[in-house]
Amino acid sequence: MKRPKLKKASKRMSCSKRYKIQKKVREHNRKLRKEAKKKGVKNQVKKDPGVPSSAPFKEEVLREAEQRRLQIEEEKQRKRQVKIEERAKKRKKEKESAHNETEPQAKKARQDNIQKKSVKQTTPDKNSKEYLCAELLKVIDTSDVVIEVLDARDPLGFRCPELEEAVLQSGNKKLLLVLNKIDLVPRKIVEKWLQCLEKEFPVVVFKASTQIKDRTVQAKKSRIVPSNETLIGSGAAACFGKDCLTELLGSLAAKIPNEAPLRVGIVGFPNVGKSSLINSMKGTLACNTGIKRGITNSMQEVNITKNMKLIDSPGVVALPSNHPASTALRSLKVEESVVEAVCSLLKQCDKTEVMLHYNVPDFRNPLEFVSLFAKKRGFLQKKGIPNMEQAATVFLTDWTGAKLSYHCKPEEKYSLSTYMSDVVVAKMQNDWDLKRLKTGNRETLKGVKFPSMSNSLSFTSQGPTAGLLTSEKKPDAAAMETETDLSDENKELEQTIKEGNKTTELEKTEESVTSKLF
């Protein structure tokens, strides 16, 4: 009986059935033998009687029979050997054909690996400092006007003297400052910084939109395009300062001969709002933006009008020799631990303001604040241990992103930078419609909703942040030390080998002398 889910029926049976079958077989065989006996048929094979002893030449006949038997066995052996050789040849051919089929694939795989390695060696790392510096210099060289985007929360800290010097030394290029994220700073502080920065360069007050989406998404959602007035309540979606900046750049583009487009390079430190500014000017999502630092790692051209092009650039690489608080806010990667970076930031803030803003009890040191902040937000590990790193990363993203409101007060006696002079200031302010710029800034300041002084944290600025523009590789001191150590070790080894050779020569001479004497 064939059982379900099985390919073959089982051969198992009961013992009684097997015994019955065996009995029937025996009876059947007995019946066949009886019938054959009656008919006289015998199936027994007759034995070979051999050569009788009375036969003549008996020995010769036996010898011939033995030779014939040996010949038959040799023939069988030869045929068997031929078959074995044929099988071996067949197997060899199959192996060779299989090897020939797989060999080109292996060769291709090897060649592909070699090509991949060569491509990896030729293509530079887009996140390396050398590549980012080269891209930034490329943007400065190709642009006619350079816009340095500054965070309004710390405008002096987000200025890079090396970048400004490079723009001033590059020829007839114009430098324009844009104060972004003004909605996170009280109005009085913005106006004071505007007065201070206007002494050096033309300044545009700006608030970029952080909720711009692709055209296809906008078209699917609704046909009605909301005006800027209706979006004031949402805050993040509104954009201010766009009209003033487009008019300024448009008036400068009209002065260029041969109807060539005006190339405007957007530069600044990471997370300052360069890509958001370009998206706000374009009105659509042209450049990728996000909270993560260093999303833009290469230059990107965006056409705004027929006469104007904006060029996005990677963030300026901050030098590690800067103050820890400035490197924590402006570097591409936090080189030290995240908790140490948060501690350096908290040292520059007022303790009572931090306690009121984050609704945290009194703390003795910054580490205790991080643990309290982790418990407040629910960043806990097993057994209720606060996750310090997670709390520190969230704290840092609040400070670098467009979320937290903090401000730095400008100095009472604001002095010009060392590389600035009255001639340079006059040259930078030429060809700009300064009256239109002042009226535009006044209009933007009227439209933006500013936070109050009580809702904004006070922060002490550490001055301009030094940046890296040239990527010159210098030999490491550690590598030089290791090389010198290796050379010294080699010299010592040579000396020991020479001394060993001398001792072996002396031993040989002593042995020869002793053999002659005795």
Side-chain angles (χ1 to χ4, degrees), residues 2 46 84-85 110 163 182 204 235 255 278 307 347 365 384 404 428 430 455 472 476 483 497 503:
K2 190 174 181 181
K46 288 181 179 181
I84 290 164
E85 287 175 359
R110 282 192 221 105
L163 178 68
I182 55 169
V204 178
K255 295 176 184 179
I278 293 168
N307 300 327
K347 287 174 184 176
N365 50 23
L404 184 72
M428 286 294 115
N430 283 339
N455 292 329
E472 293 179 358
D476 297 333
E483 284 178 3
I497 289 160
T503 53

Side-chain angles (χ1 to χ4, degrees), residues 202-379:
V203 185
V204 178
V205 179
F206 200 84
K207 190 264 168 187
S209 176
T210 56
Q211 289 185 359
I212 289 174
K213 294 182 180 179
D214 199 3
R215 281 181 180 174
T216 54
V217 178
Q218 288 178 351
K220 282 179 183 177
K221 281 198 170 181
S222 63
R223 293 180 183 178
I224 300 163
V225 180
S227 64
N228 208 9
E229 293 176 1
T230 58
L231 292 170
I232 289 172
S234 62
C239 176
F240 296 95
K242 177 183 173 182
D243 298 331
C244 177
L245 190 58
T246 48
E247 284 180 11
L248 270 175
L249 296 172
S251 62
L252 192 66
K255 295 176 184 179
I256 295 173
N258 302 324
E259 296 182 356
L262 181 72
R263 293 174 173 272
V264 183
I266 313 295
V267 297
F269 282 100
N271 274 65
V272 83
K274 302 184 291 298
S275 302
S276 299
L277 186 141
I278 293 168
N279 291 336
S280 301
M281 294 287 286
K282 180 75 175 174
T284 56
L285 189 68
C287 302
N288 292 324
T289 58
I291 300 168
K292 190 181 176 182
R293 305 185 192 189
I295 291 173
T296 307
N297 52 15
S298 59
M299 65 178 289
Q300 182 183 353
E301 290 188 359
V302 179
N303 292 318
I304 304 299
T305 59
K306 290 181 180 179
N307 300 327
M308 196 195 314
K309 278 185 180 181
L310 296 184
I311 306 169
D312 196 7
S313 67
V316 180
V317 180
L319 288 170
S321 58
N322 291 307
H323 193 272
S326 57
T327 52
L329 290 172
R330 295 168 196 101
S331 60
L332 286 167
K333 291 179 181 178
V334 182
E335 293 179 359
E336 58 184 3
S337 67
V338 189
V339 180
E340 287 178 5
V342 171
C343 293
S344 61
L345 279 176
L346 288 167
K347 287 174 184 176
Q348 309 302 320
C349 301
D350 189 12
K351 186 180 175 180
T352 54
E353 289 180 0
V354 172
M355 286 165 59
L356 290 168
H357 183 81
Y358 287 102
N359 196 11
V360 168
D362 191 10
F363 53 91
R364 289 169 290 179
N365 50 23
L367 283 171
E368 190 178 353
F369 167 78
V370 176
S371 64
L372 291 168
F373 180 71
K375 288 176 182 176
K376 184 78 178 174
R377 293 289 180 95
F379 302 139

Side-chain angles (χ1 to χ4, degrees), residues 66 72-73 90 153-154 218 226 293 313 340 401 416 435:
E66 187 67 23
I72 291 163
E73 284 181 2
K90 195 175 180 181
R153 296 176 287 186
D154 186 10
Q218 288 178 351
R293 305 185 192 189
S313 67
E340 287 178 5
L416 295 174
K435 289 182 180 179

Side-chain angles (χ1 to χ4, degrees), residues 105-146:
Q105 292 179 359
K107 281 184 180 178
K108 283 180 183 178
R110 282 192 221 105
Q111 288 174 359
D112 292 336
N113 288 328
I114 290 161
Q115 286 176 359
K116 283 178 183 178
K117 285 178 182 177
S118 62
V119 168
K120 282 180 183 178
Q121 289 173 359
T122 53
T123 55
D125 184 14
K126 289 190 176 182
N127 293 321
S128 63
K129 290 181 181 180
E130 292 82 10
Y131 183 81
L132 295 172
C133 292
E135 288 291 310
L136 184 61
L137 289 171
K138 203 188 293 181
V139 170
I140 293 168
D141 292 336
T142 54
S143 56
D144 304 317
V145 178
V146 178

Side-chain angles (χ1 to χ4, degrees), residues 393-454:
T393 49
V394 171
F395 185 86
L396 262 182
T397 50
D398 289 350
W399 279 71
T400 53
K403 190 175 180 180
L404 184 72
S405 172
Y406 69 90
H407 64 275
C408 298
K409 292 179 181 179
E411 295 176 359
E412 293 179 0
K413 293 181 180 180
Y414 188 80
S415 58
L416 295 174
S417 303
T418 54
Y419 51 87
M420 295 296 294
S421 61
D422 295 333
V423 178
V424 176
V425 171
K427 186 182 176 183
M428 286 294 115
Q429 290 180 352
N430 283 339
D431 301 330
W432 295 108
D433 192 357
L434 298 177
K435 289 182 180 179
R436 179 72 190 91
L437 177 61
K438 285 182 180 180
T439 53
N441 287 337
R442 214 175 292 124
E443 287 173 3
T444 53
L445 291 172
K446 283 179 183 178
V448 178
K449 189 177 179 180
F450 294 97
S452 61
M453 290 290 289
S454 59

Side-chain angles (χ1 to χ4, degrees), residues 29-45:
N29 291 333
R30 197 183 296 119
K31 192 177 180 182
L32 289 174
R33 282 197 300 273
K34 279 182 180 180
E35 286 177 359
K37 196 175 182 182
K38 283 177 184 178
K39 290 177 183 179
V41 178
K42 291 183 180 180
N43 291 328
Q44 289 181 358
V45 181

